[in-house]
Amino acid sequence: MKIIGFIASPRKEGNTAWTVHKILEGAKEQGAKTESWCFNDLDIIPCRGCFYCKNSDRGCVINDDMQILYDAIECADALVLGSPVYMGQMSAQAKIFTDRLFAQFSPRFSPYFKEEKAGKKLILVFTQGNPDSNLFRLYFDYTKKMFELLEFDVKEVYVVAGMRNKPAHEREDLHSSMKSLGSSLALEQF
Ligand SMILES: Cc1cc2nc3c(=O)[nH]c(=O)nc-3n(C[C@H](O)[C@H](O)[C@H](O)COP(=O)(O)O)c2cc1C
């Protein structure tokens, strides 16, 4: 099992990075191969909407670091996408990445859908300052639905709330819950 973590926060030592790394740690302990990418280390520009990816079989025309991620995703069995909540939504870095997935995945209802691309496992993890993990529930449910329409097998949407009171690494409860999330993903125990 190959699992890739994506960190969509500009803070490399922040709550999202810590959370994604803990999930991967749990997966690794169960024998999964893991790797992680921090979007802020990469040069990934927004989708141009040129439809080159759909009108040819040569993928995305933009020659930036997303090309590295396309290859990585192709080889992965499961993805973990971690984002801080910014203004009630995923970060801009996460949104740019998500839009660029259009070159690799298409919704089932679209004319571009390819069956063989369907079914990659995905965990979404959000960290937020506000302690109420249900505050943005509508948005999290909507985002889950959006990834499911892209034919991802969304195993979990985990919201790590209350970061304004205590950073993730100081939360004892999170050490075990994040690791067990990763271990469940590796062992396909969802
Ligand atoms: C620009 C910005 C917008 C934010 N918007 C929200 C928000 O709408 N709701 C919330 O609960 N926290 C919000 N936060 C707090 C972050 O979600 C929270 O601190 C998160 O854990 C940061 O993750 P990081 O440490 O990985 O960067 C915001 C932070 C920033 C910098």
Side-chain angles (χ1 to χ4, degrees), residues 9 11 14-17 84-88 127-130 136 163:
S9 166
R11 299 191 332 131
N15 300 313
T16 311
V85 170
Y86 278 3
M87 307 305 180
T127 71
Q128 66 177 48
N130 194 284
F136 305 110
M163 296 293 95

Side-chain angles (χ1 to χ4, degrees), residues 4 24 41 51 59 71 86 93 98 110 141 145 151 177:
I4 308 186
L24 295 181
D41 292 336
F51 281 76
D71 290 344
Y86 278 3
Q93 290 90 333
T98 303
S110 88
D141 290 347
K145 185 80 192 161
E151 291 294 313
S177 52

